[in-house]
Amino acid sequence: MHPSWSEQWWPVAYVRDLDPTRPQRFTLLEQDLVLWWDAPGESWRAFKDVCPHRLVPLSEGRINSSGQLECPYHGWSFDGQGICRAIPQLGAGARSESQRTACGSLPTAIGQGLLFVWSGTPSAADPAALPLVPLLQEQGDGWADGWIVQDTFRDLPMDALTLLENVLDVSHVPFTHHRTVGKRENASPVEAVITREDSQGFEAFWQEGPRKGKLGSQNTHFRAPQLMWHDLTAKGFARILTVVYAVPISRGKCRLFARFPFQFKAALPRVLVGLRPRWLQHIGNHKVLEDDQVFLHWQERVLETAGGSAAAEKAFVLKTSADVYVKSLHRWVNGQGGGPFAGRPLPPRQDVEALMDRYHSHTKHCASCSVALRRIRSLRPWLWGSLWLSAVLIGAGQLSWLLWMGVGLAALSGLLLRQTSRWQRGLRIGDGQPPRNQRI
């Protein structure tokens, strides 16, 4: 694998979504990792997800009372440095520490609320070189300079490069995301120019900007190999960033980390954005992601048949200035030895129902959405109970005040049952019906 992919800091989770009481699994560049909180060392750790004893996954184990990672098979326990501190099967006085009993440990660092793992030579890891968005500065538990940041993530059934190719391409938004975050009538020529291009990525400038110039000019930055952001200032409203990290899990699968920072001109929009629960925002984010998920999953297999990134400019018909983003991305890829899984075939295409999964690709890993789903499931039996109670009140009330109480209770319970059913489904699976194709 080319160093541009292997010698990198990669985000693996938002810190707010990690549970310090249990180990969690993540796959990075086809390597299974276990992420866990080392309380004595006050640090998040990333180990190779394999016990040196009998090669079972440590992510199936626990964090014991000593604050060590304990293997589920025979109880071997490891400290934050990966050193084996206990082997229950050894006799009294026998030493458990040795090079062969140690776990493989990868360097970690935290920046802008993300946990990063270094995938390369440990001695080369430099926490000062984390791929961060320079405009965002942390201040206590929030952000400096009035920024308010929304975030989401999802495991997507496509290569990280396919994701990057899509989010860098600004010209698809009015069509693909019509009726979610775009409108077809706002489409116009994208006269974008590349202002910098080298081995570290590229920058682009679009003078007119989205919505036929109504929002202002837009700058695009690609920091290879995983980070891009669009930056525009909507006149009189806000400065808005669209930030995406594309993290390779395996061939045909990546994790998207998306952030939406706003720097509002007025106080009211900031308050309104802050009032929306994170889990409800995530349901809306899923809908936008699913606008193009199905056809991107299909498209990358067609490109693979045509020769992959090396043949992109021949396979695609890139004849407008809107295509400079895609051209520049593939020039970088081919100049850096190809993608992270060069020569590996894509897995078989999935059906639409599998592509619409939200629970396994997001909700179970998200602290906000998993709690919301549990609470909704707990609430619904009570709502059914209140619906039955309303029927009793209506039957007993005849024309008295009990009748009207029962009617009101029935209406409220019915509305809440309908809404919680929608939320429950929204946290589990998409409907596969992009709004752009629905009749008004």
Side-chain angles (χ1 to χ4, degrees), residues 301-323:
R301 283 156 178 77
V302 179
L303 179 60
E304 179 184 49
T305 302
S309 184
E313 292 207 37
K314 182 179 179 182
F316 296 150
V317 181
L318 305 174
K319 61 185 299 181
T320 74
S321 58
D323 297 318

Side-chain angles (χ1 to χ4, degrees), residues 39 50 241 274 286 308 315 317 323 374 417:
V50 57
L241 307 183
H286 285 311
V317 181
D323 297 318
R374 285 199 301 272
L417 277 167

Side-chain angles (χ1 to χ4, degrees), residues 66 78 104-105 132 148 159 179 198 216 247 279 282 293 313 323 330 335 339 352 354 358 360 364 368-369 420 424 431:
S66 299
F78 306 89
S105 179
L132 303 176
I148 182 169
D159 276 339
R179 298 180 63 193
D198 55 34
V247 182
W279 63 269
H282 285 179
Q293 188 159 293
E313 292 207 37
D323 297 318
H330 286 287
V352 172
R358 297 178 182 179
H360 295 95
K364 68 182 290 187
S368 304
C369 293
T420 53
Q424 184 172 244
D431 61 15

